[in-house]
Amino acid sequence: MGDTDVTTDAGAPWLIVGLGNPGPEYAMNRHNVGFMVADLLAERIGGRFKRAGKAQAQVIEGHIGPPGPANRRVILAKPMSYMNLSGGPVTALRDFYKVPTANIVAIHDELDIDYGVLRLKLGGGDNGHNGLKSMTKAMGSDYHRVRFGIGRPPGRMQVADFVLKDFSSAERKELDYLVDRASDAVECLVIEGLERAQGTYNS
């Protein structure tokens, strides 16, 4: 599937997954921007992450959107399995909460997009991203992605070293704003659909 909308079950919950690595040593890494967005969404929902039973993840259950038909039940999750094993926890949560795959949103860093640029899409390849690779192997590729650009590593720096380094001091000046914007994009996707969110936030 490409960047086209699909018919989702309006009554079904949404599973919003921020991808990253657990532990304070990874907290400000570029690879953890999905966790950063999930943490901000948690503040907006007004909940606190808690361990999700047998699933290796932290979750919050809540709602996004105004009262009425646009209100969406959401499960916000951060897999605690490390990035390259994200598929197991996400699949367990999908099955437990009975979430259609089309109602899953993965928030992740993206090397092939300039820093801070957002791209929203449905389906597609993993582009070498280990978190997406694990999710797709576990449940197929027909889930939504909110791709947060981090750019390519400078010079001859290896990709693995680049993504596991903290954002630079220059990048951090804009980071709060960009994480806020990415959180807005997730909310727009869930409430108003992919096409509207792409039109507003894809740049």
Side-chain angles (χ1 to χ4, degrees):
M1 282 191 177
D3 294 358
T4 56
D5 230 330
V6 294
T7 301
T8 56
D9 181 350
W14 284 76
L15 176 58
I16 302 170
V17 182
L19 295 181
N21 288 309
E25 66 270 34
Y26 299 106
M28 289 304 296
N29 287 181
R30 294 181 177 93
H31 222 18
N32 267 45
V33 73
F35 273 18
M36 297 174 197
V37 176
D39 286 338
L40 181 55
L41 288 168
E43 288 182 27
R44 294 182 179 186
I45 289 173
R48 299 182 65 177
F49 281 105
K50 62 182 181 180
R51 200 75 179 192
K54 295 181 179 179
Q56 203 172 355
Q58 292 183 350
V59 301
I60 294 172
E61 296 180 55
H63 289 81
I64 286 176
N71 192 260
R72 301 285 183 261
R73 180 181 169 222
V74 298
I75 298 93
L76 185 60
K78 297 192 297 184
M80 294 285 111
S81 57
Y82 290 96
M83 182 71 83
N84 62 354
L85 298 174
S86 300
V90 176
T91 303
L93 293 171
R94 178 200 66 178
D95 294 346
F96 180 79
Y97 289 103
K98 297 179 173 57
V99 180
T101 302
N103 280 27
I104 296 174
V105 183
I107 311 162
H108 64 93
D109 57 305
E110 178 60 64
L111 286 160
D112 285 340
I113 302 175
D114 290 340
Y115 174 64
V117 173
L118 294 178
R119 293 278 194 277
L120 286 75
K121 64 181 292 190
L122 172 68
D126 56 59
N127 203 25
H129 192 285
N130 287 332
L132 297 183
K133 190 177 297 183
S134 179
M135 285 181 60
T136 296
K137 183 178 180 181
M139 61 186 188
S141 64
D142 295 337
Y143 53 90
H144 289 85
R145 300 102 188 275
V146 174
R147 306 156 75 203
F148 187 109
I150 61 170
R152 279 277 165 186
R156 296 185 178 182
M157 183 185 291
Q158 294 295 311
V159 166
D161 294 331
F162 179 68
V163 299
L164 293 176
K165 285 189 180 297
D166 290 357
F167 285 103
S168 69
S169 57
E171 289 169 335
R172 284 199 296 271
K173 292 177 182 178
E174 293 184 276
L175 186 58
D176 286 349
Y177 164 75
L178 295 171
V179 168
D180 189 73
R181 188 168 185 269
S183 300
D184 291 344
V186 173
E187 292 185 344
C188 183
L189 168 61
V190 170
I191 297 167
E192 300 187 61
L194 178 61
E195 187 174 351
R196 175 65 65 87
Q198 285 176 325
T200 304
Y201 293 99
N202 278 15
S203 50

